[in-house]
Amino acid sequence: MRKWPSFVVALLVSSITFAQNKSASPQASLKDAYKDCFMVGAALNPAQFTGEDQAEDAIIESQFNTISPENVLKWAIIHPSPDAYNFSPADKYVEFGEQNHMFIIGHNLVWHSQVPKWVFEDDKGNPVSRDVLLGRMRDHIMNVVGRYKGRIKGWDVVNEALNDDGTLRQSQWLKIIGDDYIEKAFRFAHEVDPEAQLYYNDYSLENEAKRRGALELVKKLKAKGVAITGVGLQDHVSLEWPTTDQIDATITEFGKLGVKVMITELDVDVLPSASHTADVSYKAASDPKLNPYPNGLPDAVQQALARRYADLFGTYAKHCGLVTRVTFWGVTDKNSWKNNWPIPGRTNYPLLFDRNAKPKPAFDAVIQLAPKHGS
Ligand code: 9MR
C-alpha cells in the first residue's frame, strides 16, 4: 500500500471544522483530486444525459470521469416484453459518456428487482424450467452486453444476490435455475465481451455475516475460473454506520482474494430512522418527526456530514489502486432516491452538491483530503 504523508496528516486532523465559507477553489474537481487513486463518478438519470438539466451537466462534466445509469439499463426498462428492447435511453446514456470521455458502467444484468414477471413464467403463468430461464438470461445478456460491447467497460453482472445473513437470496433466479445462476451470468457476459470488467455488486457487505457470504461467493467463482474482476460495495451509508474500520476491513478482505473493489452507490443518509439496508422493497410510514430538516440542514449536521465524507474518502484512499472507483448514487440532493426511500417525500441531504447544484462543505472536505499528487 502506498504511503501518503500529507494525507495521513490530513486524517489526523479530520475532526477540523469544514466551515461553509472556507471553500475549495471553484476549479477544484473530484476526478483530478483523486486521479492518482481511483476514478470518481455518479449515477445519472435521463434529464442529465439528454442535456435537459444543464446545472447538473456542468457538475458531471467538471467533476466525474465515470458514470453509472441509475435505471435505464435495468431489465424492466430495457427489455420490458419478450421481443421488445427499449434501447433508446441507454443509447443516449452511452453516447453522453463517450462524448465526455468517461469510463461507462452498465448496471445491471441479473437482479431480483425490476425484472418483469414474464421472464420467469410461461404463457400460462407457470414457472418456466431451468433451461428456459437460462436461455432467457443468456439472450438478454447477449443482446444488451453485445450492443454496447467495447463501449460499456464494466458491468454489474449480478446485483444483490445475498441475504443479510450471507446466504443466497431466494430469488426467482435461484429458485428456478439453482445456485449456479451467478456463475452462468458471468460466463455469458464474458463470452459476449471478454474485455469488459465484470462485477458482483451488493449493499451492507461491511456487516460481518453478509461479508462472509460474499467472500465465499467470490472464492467459489474464482476457483471455477469465472472471470470476476471486482466487487462493488454500494455504500448507502448513514452518519454512523458502518464504521470506517468495518469498511477498511471489508476492502482489505476482498483485496486478498485478488479482486478489485469499487464503491458503487455512495450516499450518506442524515435523516433519523434510516434502515441499514438498501433493499428497495423496504418501506416505512410517513411521520413529520422523521423529516426534521424540510427547510435546510442545520450547520451542526452539515459539519457532521462533511466529517463523515472526509472519513469515508480517507478510508477509500488508504487503498489506492485496490479501490479503483468511487461512484455517488446521484449528482445533487434534489434528485436523490434518498428523498423517497424508505419514506416517500422527505428532504434528505446525502450527496456533495445541494439542491441548487452548489458544492456543500462535504465537497470541500473531500477535496481537501485528497492525496497530493506526487507525494
Ligand atoms: O435509485 C434507483 C431508484 O431510482 C429506483 O426506483 C430503484 C428501483 O429500481 O433503484 C434505485 O437504485 C438501486 C440500485 O439499482 C441498486 N442498489 C440500491 C439502489 C437504491 O435503491
Side-chain angles (χ1 to χ4, degrees), residues 72-80 84-87 90 140 144 148:
V72 295
L73 273 155
K74 289 175 182 170
W75 195 311
I77 292 177
I78 203 164
H79 191 182
Y85 280 89
N86 169 33
F87 284 125
H140 178 83
V144 177
Y148 303 110

Side-chain angles (χ1 to χ4, degrees), residues 199-272:
Y199 317 128
Y200 175 71
N201 189 52
D202 212 332
Y203 57 86
S204 300
L205 293 180
E206 291 80 3
N207 288 348
E208 186 69 22
K210 191 162 183 178
R211 187 197 316 169
R212 293 278 145 246
L215 288 163
E216 277 313 304
L217 176 63
V218 172
K219 259 190 230 161
K220 276 191 202 148
L221 291 173
K222 293 205 62 112
K224 288 181 170 172
V226 172
I228 175 168
T229 320
V231 168
L233 312 182
Q234 293 185 3
D235 276 10
H236 294 292
V237 304
S238 72
L239 286 171
E240 299 84 27
W241 173 89
T243 64
T244 48
D245 283 350
Q246 281 176 290
I247 297 174
D248 192 41
T250 307
I251 295 170
T252 302
E253 286 185 49
F254 282 109
K256 283 186 193 149
L257 298 186
V259 287
K260 298 290 185 195
V261 178
M262 281 130 238
I263 311 303
T264 53
E265 306 188 11
L266 178 61
D267 46 28
V268 179
D269 197 328
V270 300
L271 298 184

Side-chain angles (χ1 to χ4, degrees), residues 24-47:
S25 136
Q27 278 83 40
S29 99
L30 297 164
K31 65 181 177 190
D32 290 341
Y34 286 88
K35 70 174 189 209
D36 295 337
C37 230
F38 40 66
M39 294 182 282
V40 186
L44 307 189
N45 58 51

Side-chain angles (χ1 to χ4, degrees), residues 1-2 4 6-8 10-12 14 18 34 37-38 244-245 247-248 251 266 306-320 323 326 365-371:
M1 196 191 305
R2 259 177 99 173
W4 299 99
S6 53
F7 148 74
V8 172
L11 255 191
L12 290 174
S14 73
F18 297 101
Y34 286 88
C37 230
F38 40 66
T244 48
D245 283 350
I247 297 174
D248 192 41
I251 295 170
L266 178 61
R307 280 194 299 276
R308 177 64 161 153
Y309 262 115
D311 291 343
L312 289 169
F313 272 76
T315 310
Y316 304 149
K318 266 175 81 177
H319 299 279
C320 281
V323 171
V326 177
V366 169
I367 291 285
Q368 284 165 24
L369 200 82

Side-chain angles (χ1 to χ4, degrees), residues 62-275:
S62 64
Q63 297 296 327
F64 302 122
N65 48 17
T66 173
I67 52 172
S68 298
E70 186 168 358
N71 288 303
V72 295
L73 273 155
K74 289 175 182 170
W75 195 311
I77 292 177
I78 203 164
H79 191 182
S81 51
D83 300 316
Y85 280 89
N86 169 33
F87 284 125
S88 168
D91 286 354
K92 294 200 174 74
Y93 160 76
V94 173
E95 280 157 22
F96 177 88
E98 286 180 332
Q99 276 157 14
N100 291 293
H101 313 290
M102 290 161 162
F103 188 90
I104 304 169
I105 299 294
H107 172 87
N108 55 55
L109 295 171
V110 175
W111 191 23
H112 65 278
S113 181
Q114 301 287 101
V115 192
K117 267 173 71 180
W118 67 261
V119 175
F120 305 108
E121 292 178 352
D122 65 16
D123 46 17
K124 297 193 184 63
N126 297 317
V128 290
S129 66
R130 165 182 161 92
D131 284 348
V132 168
L133 187 55
L134 275 173
R136 288 180 180 173
M137 180 202 273
R138 186 172 189 281
D139 283 351
H140 178 83
I141 291 177
M142 292 292 145
N143 284 324
V144 177
V145 177
R147 184 175 181 91
Y148 303 110
K149 182 172 177 170
R151 302 171 73 196
I152 289 188
K153 306 285 188 192
W155 280 97
D156 289 337
V157 178
V158 176
N159 195 44
E160 303 174 2
L162 293 165
N163 294 312
D164 287 343
D165 67 1
T167 58
L168 285 177
R169 185 192 285 271
Q170 288 295 312
S171 66
Q172 297 285 70
W173 299 110
L174 182 75
K175 285 185 196 156
I176 297 174
I177 297 176
D179 61 10
D180 62 343
Y181 86 88
I182 298 176
E183 170 187 342
K184 294 283 187 193
F186 276 88
R187 290 200 191 280
F188 296 150
H190 189 59
E191 182 187 338
V192 61
D193 189 354
E195 301 297 317
Q197 298 189 2
L198 304 180
Y199 317 128
Y200 175 71
N201 189 52
D202 212 332
Y203 57 86
S204 300
L205 293 180
E206 291 80 3
N207 288 348
E208 186 69 22
K210 191 162 183 178
R211 187 197 316 169
R212 293 278 145 246
L215 288 163
E216 277 313 304
L217 176 63
V218 172
K219 259 190 230 161
K220 276 191 202 148
L221 291 173
K222 293 205 62 112
K224 288 181 170 172
V226 172
I228 175 168
T229 320
V231 168
L233 312 182
Q234 293 185 3
D235 276 10
H236 294 292
V237 304
S238 72
L239 286 171
E240 299 84 27
W241 173 89
T243 64
T244 48
D245 283 350
Q246 281 176 290
I247 297 174
D248 192 41
T250 307
I251 295 170
T252 302
E253 286 185 49
F254 282 109
K256 283 186 193 149
L257 298 186
V259 287
K260 298 290 185 195
V261 178
M262 281 130 238
I263 311 303
T264 53
E265 306 188 11
L266 178 61
D267 46 28
V268 179
D269 197 328
V270 300
L271 298 184
S273 191
S275 148

